[in-house]
Amino acid sequence: MKRTFVVLSLLILLFLLWQIGKDYNRPYLSYQKAYKRLLAKAGEGEPELAAFPFGARQGWIVGLSRVDRCETCHLGVEEPRVRNAQAPFRTHPDADTHPVESFGCTVCHGGQGLATSLEDAHGPTENWNRAIYHENFLQKSCSLCHGETVGESAPVLSRGREIFYDWGCRGCHKVEGKERKKVGPPIRKIGEKVRTDWLFRWLRNPRGYLPKTRMPDFLLSEQEAADITLLLIPQQIAPGAAPAGSVERGRLVFNESRCVTCHAVEGKGGNIGPDLAKIGSKLRPEGLLPWLRNPHEVMPTTLMPVHNFTEQDVRDLAAFLMAEYTDLELQEDQASRDLKAVSKGNVRNGKALIDKYGCTGCHEIEGVEDRGENGSELTRIGDIHVSRLEFAGVEVPRNRRTVPNWLYNKMREPRLFKGDLKMPDYRFSDEDAEAVTTYLLSLTAEKVPAQYYHPLGERPSGYDPQGDFGKVLEKYRCLVCHRIRGKGGTLAPDLSREGSRIRKEWLRDYLRKPDTIRPILVERMPQMKITDADIQILDAYIRAALLDDKVENLAGEVRGMRLGDPEAVRRGSRLYFEKYACDACHQINLKGGTIGPDLTHSGKRLRPEWVLLWLRNPKAFLPRSVEPVYAFPQREIEDLAAFVLSPKGGKGTP
Amino acid sequence: MTRRPRGSRFLRILLLVLLSAGAGWGETKPSGADNAAVRRKEFALPRKHDSGLSREAKRGRALYEYYCALCHGKQGDADGFNATNLKTPPTRHTDPILMGTLSDAQVQRVIKEGGQALGRSPQMPPWGGVLKSQDLADLTAFIRTLAVPAKK
């Protein structure tokens, strides 16, 4: 009895000592010791080192109701002396804008804030769904406070959002509060427009025809593609005659109109419209005519402007495109083999397939009812529990089974987890798959209190010009490339204050026959045969409404300057060529650099007030300008302005 | 109890192997076969986009690509699209011997005050009105990554 008592007591004592030892030797202590050594190396004083506080550390972020103990190991988060240290001591790169005491860590990074061991804190663990986010997906958290239109401050998130809405994800997946737009062209009388065998090949492999298309690959079998083709083109229409036009003249019209600004051919050109390299193998010979006459009548949502081609232009252009750009890799008997396959199609199955794959999410299809979204709702996909995601046949170790990883793989290969799913394959690059995943993760019910809400980026613009000007902008699709007051594209100059920059006469001439101001650009203003009446409307509006006070206020000063003085022009010329070497970037009469615009005719093009403002500070007019800010003295500004505005000989001098 | 003939087990295994091989042989190609076949059936993990650059150099790279690469080239090889338009070719930042002769302060001064500050071409404009001192430090940090120091 006595012996048992002694043994038990000893055992209890040992257990006690073991527990004390275990408690003393917490896993984070090794990190803290290493950090102390790092501090010593960084020159921390002896008394501070002696007082180094070992133990768990935590921050209580009252506003976000979070308690984060990450700093127990990540000790150098706000210590600039260890900024080049390795993880986990590295200094936080955004500590100045996102101080730990106001934000903590987990609100952005995920993970389990209360945990003090690496495994538990970083996850994933059995009972903590939100593992720490991989840095590639981290921008998902930016939208919590900054809104999802955060723009360039979170490029990955922005790219993901852009893909989600522009590539048609919203067509099949509901996201509350987001409008469903059909991003593909409407399909009406498609049999009059395209060749049947092309449609069949297109459905089977869209990238075979257009390597950069946004149309995803539905991995259709030959039979499925035949079923859908037959539904869309139930009756073969006899092929019409090739357009009777002059190929040579068509080539001229093609070049003059600068079609390559939007359409690439053979890899060169813009990407606003589809690549035209194989268009002759896609369209029926007469299918192009109505489109070239007025694309808006065929497809109201197209980005293509009305070119006001004459009937002869239309025929010549069509003849040129059909003759010049055919698919050279297509085998001779391919078309007849494809047609034979299509003839075995089944229209009723085609209809069922359109329902199954949700084609109507992107395309309005004549004669087919749109049944709304047929994919999973994604409003809160960022909050989903990993147990609700099916990994099915794919072996994934538990510590890799996270929501972000699942989504990322789904984006890379939509049918990875199960073969018979309906989601198509967009052939995303790894970067794009990451971007979409990041956007999806940002779709959560999580909210931050008002004091944390700090939207960044450009708000959606409410600019919507009405009346004649609005109609002309629509007709020529000006805002596809140009931007006015926050609305429109970014390919071409922002026109919000164009009336203060350019001279009236020049604008009219330019709209009639757009010249080349920047010699090296591929994307140049297309020539659209804008009618005189439309030019009148554009000119009046630009001159009256698109002005900049900073420029207009200089009118008095300009009147007092002697810009025509030949002596000033001569002095300005010396400054231009010798002192400042402006010709490093600007061309005059084909000599000089090509970074800035050509200045040969700048006297005809630019208003003196604008030149004055620009020479003082280019960034005052255009913050993104690459022109250096020189801070010229006033005398030099006057001389330079005199030179820039003076006639410089060469072609077209008055 | 009947005695099994010798080799029956071997035959059965052989049969199995043949059968499974046959099943694999006859498998229909996945639909959209042309490109679907090459896709991998594996669970991929996100890969780090590590450029090996410090934070300063990363910021510097963005500035470099925006302002400098037009002449100096994206990689600092003096092959920007505007390089051939210049009377004096731009400095090659990948040249370790040349870059070795310039101190950080000198590099920053040329950027800030232009080529004339060091008695060189005025075609290199002064960027002091655009770039702040932190920008200059970032740019210098990036430019230093372009030239690999010559080994002796």
Side-chain angles (χ1 to χ4, degrees):
Chain A
M1 187 65 204
K2 207 169 160 187
R3 192 176 291 168
T4 321
F5 184 73
V6 169
V7 169
L8 271 178
S9 301
L10 267 176
L11 274 177
I12 286 171
L13 187 70
L14 274 176
F15 182 72
L16 194 73
L17 286 174
W18 179 57
Q19 281 300 316
I20 291 171
K22 191 180 153 200
D23 188 60
Y24 180 73
N25 200 20
R26 293 288 176 106
Y28 54 74
L29 281 176
S30 59
Y31 291 114
Q32 297 193 335
K33 282 176 200 151
Y35 184 69
K36 193 177 162 188
R37 283 197 294 277
L38 204 65
L39 276 187
K41 226 191 274 171
E44 179 88 314
E46 209 42 64
E48 286 85 2
L49 277 180
F52 184 84
F54 287 102
R57 303 172 177 203
Q58 69 177 25
W60 180 19
I61 320 302
V62 183
L64 296 168
S65 13
R66 271 166 198 272
V67 175
D68 285 348
R69 295 181 175 159
C70 314
E71 279 186 280
T72 303
C73 299
H74 296 279
L75 288 146
V77 180
E78 288 185 315
E79 177 52 72
R81 281 178 300 176
V82 296
R83 57 213 270 267
N84 293 323
Q86 292 298 307
F89 304 132
R90 217 173 8 200
T91 308
H92 195 282
D94 293 317
D96 45 346
T97 49
H98 294 77
V100 182
E101 65 264 20
S102 338
F103 295 96
C105 307
T106 56
V107 68
C108 298
H109 289 276
Q112 189 178 351
L114 283 170
T116 52
S117 77
L118 187 139
E119 297 76 25
D120 288 342
H122 291 191
T125 58
E126 195 92 50
N127 300 312
W128 194 267
N129 188 38
R130 197 153 288 186
I132 204 163
Y133 292 111
H134 191 281
E135 62 185 272
N136 297 7
F137 309 129
L138 192 53
Q139 289 177 16
K140 69 133 296 241
S141 302
C142 302
S143 66
L144 265 183
C145 299
H146 301 303
E148 64 173 54
T149 52
V150 45
E152 273 311 293
S153 321
V156 179
L157 177 71
S158 302
R159 169 85 181 140
R161 181 174 175 273
E162 181 189 313
I163 294 175
F164 190 84
Y165 295 105
D166 291 356
W167 293 46
C169 309
R170 178 68 188 83
C172 289
H173 296 284
K174 192 173 170 186
V175 178
E176 231 170 63
K178 301 286 190 249
E179 195 196 346
R180 181 175 184 235
K181 263 192 275 183
K182 293 189 194 274
V183 297
I187 297 172
R188 268 187 324 220
K189 298 189 186 138
I190 188 171
E192 291 176 14
K193 194 181 152 200
V194 307
R195 286 165 44 164
T196 309
D197 56 299
W198 172 83
L199 182 60
F200 173 76
R201 288 193 300 275
W202 170 257
L203 285 168
R204 290 213 67 203
N205 179 15
R207 297 210 158 204
Y209 175 77
L210 270 187
K212 286 186 188 157
T213 183
R214 293 172 181 191
M215 166 97 169
D217 187 347
F218 284 83
L219 308 166
L220 299 176
S221 68
E222 198 172 295
Q223 185 58 44
E224 287 177 316
D227 294 345
I228 298 176
T229 307
L230 203 64
L231 173 82
L232 298 177
I233 308 181
Q235 261 165 3
Q236 298 299 313
I237 308 162
S246 150
V247 172
E248 274 323 299
R249 201 177 158 270
R251 187 192 306 274
L252 219 66
V253 177
F254 185 82
N255 290 336
E256 254 178 19
S257 308
R258 303 199 177 124
C259 304
V260 290
T261 290
C262 298
H263 297 281
V265 270
E266 281 136 21
K268 274 195 194 136
N271 58 3
I272 295 175
D275 191 315
L276 299 178
K278 300 175 185 171
I279 188 123
S281 313
K282 167 185 176 180
L283 296 175
R284 292 164 52 79
E286 71 281 21
L288 201 49
L289 301 175
W291 179 265
L292 290 173
R293 277 183 204 122
N294 185 351
H296 300 184
E297 269 171 26
V298 183
M299 184 180 155
T301 54
T302 180
L303 299 180
M304 175 139 160
V306 172
H307 274 266
N308 292 328
F309 290 128
T310 63
E311 188 58 24
Q312 192 56 49
D313 289 344
V314 167
R315 292 189 178 279
D316 294 344
L317 201 48
F320 165 71
L321 288 170
M322 297 300 287
E324 184 84 2
Y325 298 125
T326 53
D327 189 350
L328 299 173
E329 285 160 28
L330 212 58
Q331 284 162 1
E332 237 172 82
D333 58 340
Q334 186 69 48
S336 60
R337 268 189 285 140
D338 291 340
L339 286 175
K340 206 168 143 205
V342 172
S343 68
K344 291 186 201 138
N346 177 321
V347 172
R348 191 178 306 159
N349 289 351
K351 213 160 203 168
L353 286 167
I354 282 187
D355 276 345
K356 175 183 170 190
Y357 290 118
C359 308
T360 50
C362 289
H363 301 281
E364 203 175 292
I365 306 175
E366 199 174 40
V368 179
E369 193 198 339
D370 180 4
R371 292 174 197 268
E373 296 93 340
N374 71 351
S376 336
E377 178 170 345
L378 299 177
T379 309
R380 293 196 178 101
I381 184 73
D383 295 331
I384 197 172
H385 196 274
V386 70
S387 65
R388 291 186 49 206
L389 300 172
E390 197 169 357
F391 287 81
V394 182
E395 278 298 321
V396 184
R398 214 193 56 167
N399 63 350
R400 306 286 192 220
R401 282 179 174 244
T402 63
V403 177
N405 282 352
W406 188 89
L407 288 172
Y408 175 59
N409 279 277
K410 180 83 178 167
M411 293 310 109
R412 289 179 87 232
E413 211 181 331
R415 304 195 192 166
L416 171 70
F417 299 109
K418 237 162 118 188
D420 60 342
L421 297 175
K422 57 196 175 204
M423 173 145 160
D425 193 337
Y426 281 86
R427 302 273 189 275
F428 286 133
S429 64
D430 285 358
E431 283 76 19
D432 282 351
E434 277 165 18
V436 183
T437 305
T438 302
Y439 178 67
L440 291 174
L441 290 168
S442 80
L443 297 173
T444 92
E446 222 175 317
K447 287 261 172 342
V448 290
Q451 74 264 29
Y452 282 91
Y453 190 60
H454 178 55
L456 286 178
E458 218 174 308
R459 302 280 88 201
S461 162
Y463 181 70
D464 189 15
Q466 301 294 314
D468 289 341
F469 182 67
K471 274 189 212 135
V472 175
L473 280 191
E474 271 300 295
K475 183 172 171 190
Y476 299 106
R477 298 289 197 254
C478 306
L479 297 187
V480 169
C481 300
H482 291 284
R483 204 173 181 82
I484 299 179
R485 299 202 185 128
K487 190 174 179 191
T490 50
L491 184 65
D494 189 315
L495 301 180
S496 306
R497 291 162 298 162
E498 194 64 5
S500 291
R501 168 151 65 174
I502 49 171
R503 298 169 73 105
K504 188 183 173 85
E505 303 74 29
W506 181 86
L507 175 65
R508 285 166 170 255
D509 289 349
Y510 185 76
L511 289 174
R512 265 186 212 118
K513 198 170 169 47
D515 212 342
T516 296
I517 302 166
R518 292 181 179 265
I520 53 147
L521 292 186
V522 182
E523 290 110 346
R524 290 192 234 142
M525 172 101 158
Q527 190 165 319
M528 293 174 289
K529 302 192 175 173
I530 304 177
T531 65
D532 282 349
D534 291 343
I535 288 180
Q536 196 87 32
I537 292 165
L538 287 170
D539 178 59
Y541 186 92
I542 290 175
R543 209 139 294 289
L546 302 182
L547 299 176
D548 184 345
D549 285 346
K550 285 200 289 293
V551 178
E552 302 303 322
N553 291 342
L554 293 173
E557 196 176 328
V558 164
R559 271 194 298 275
M561 284 162 48
R562 297 178 58 204
L563 293 172
D565 179 6
E567 206 38 55
V569 173
R570 210 162 310 139
R571 283 195 304 267
S573 161
R574 271 201 299 278
L575 293 173
Y576 181 96
F577 288 105
E578 289 159 29
K579 183 162 181 193
Y580 295 112
C582 308
D583 58 337
C585 296
H586 294 281
Q587 273 194 354
I588 290 176
N589 287 326
L590 301 180
K591 274 200 215 111
T594 48
I595 293 175
D598 187 314
L599 297 180
T600 312
H601 303 301
S602 47
K604 289 202 292 177
R605 184 166 79 91
L606 300 170
R607 290 181 51 195
E609 296 85 354
W610 181 87
V611 173
L612 195 59
L613 176 78
W614 186 267
L615 284 169
R616 275 192 188 140
N617 182 3
K619 301 248 175 195
F621 189 83
L622 192 64
R624 279 184 68 75
S625 164
V626 291
E627 174 124 12
V629 179
Y630 278 93
F632 302 115
Q634 175 66 17
R635 233 189 93 95
E636 291 189 352
I637 289 191
E638 288 191 25
D639 292 345
L640 277 168
F643 174 70
V644 167
L645 292 165
S646 66
K648 298 175 193 71
K651 199 180 70 170
T653 310
Chain B
M1 202 170 152
T2 51
R3 212 177 143 239
R4 279 199 191 129
R6 254 175 82 103
S8 90
R9 195 150 159 218
F10 171 72
L11 275 177
R12 274 199 299 169
I13 289 172
L14 188 71
L15 195 69
L16 244 167
V17 166
L18 279 177
L19 268 177
S20 50
W25 189 267
E27 219 166 44
T28 45
K29 272 188 181 174
S31 49
D34 349 346
N35 26 39
V38 299
R39 303 226 72 183
R40 59 275 132 158
K41 275 272 173 207
E42 71 182 65
F43 192 78
L45 295 171
R47 268 180 309 198
K48 275 195 176 183
H49 305 292
D50 194 1
S51 54
L53 295 179
S54 70
R55 186 165 169 79
E56 283 85 0
K58 260 189 227 164
R59 279 194 304 241
R61 180 176 59 185
L63 290 168
Y64 192 88
E65 285 177 4
Y66 196 75
Y67 289 110
C68 318
L70 312 175
C71 293
H72 290 283
K74 228 174 151 177
Q75 309 293 333
D77 264 324
D79 58 352
F81 71 80
N82 198 47
T84 50
N85 294 321
L86 301 179
K87 287 173 207 140
T88 319
T91 299
R92 250 186 76 215
H93 295 150
T94 47
D95 182 343
I97 297 167
L98 174 69
M99 294 311 289
T101 63
L102 293 169
S103 68
D104 282 2
Q106 279 173 312
V107 172
Q108 293 199 20
R109 184 147 173 243
V110 174
I111 304 174
K112 189 174 169 191
E113 296 170 25
Q116 274 174 326
L118 288 194
R120 302 173 76 121
S121 166
Q123 293 184 108
M124 168 72 187
W127 292 101
V130 177
L131 303 171
K132 315 245 170 328
S133 66
Q134 182 62 52
D135 297 334
L136 296 174
D138 293 345
L139 263 175
T140 310
F142 175 68
I143 290 170
R144 288 293 179 207
T145 67
L146 294 172
V148 181
K151 280 179 194 140
K152 288 201 174 161

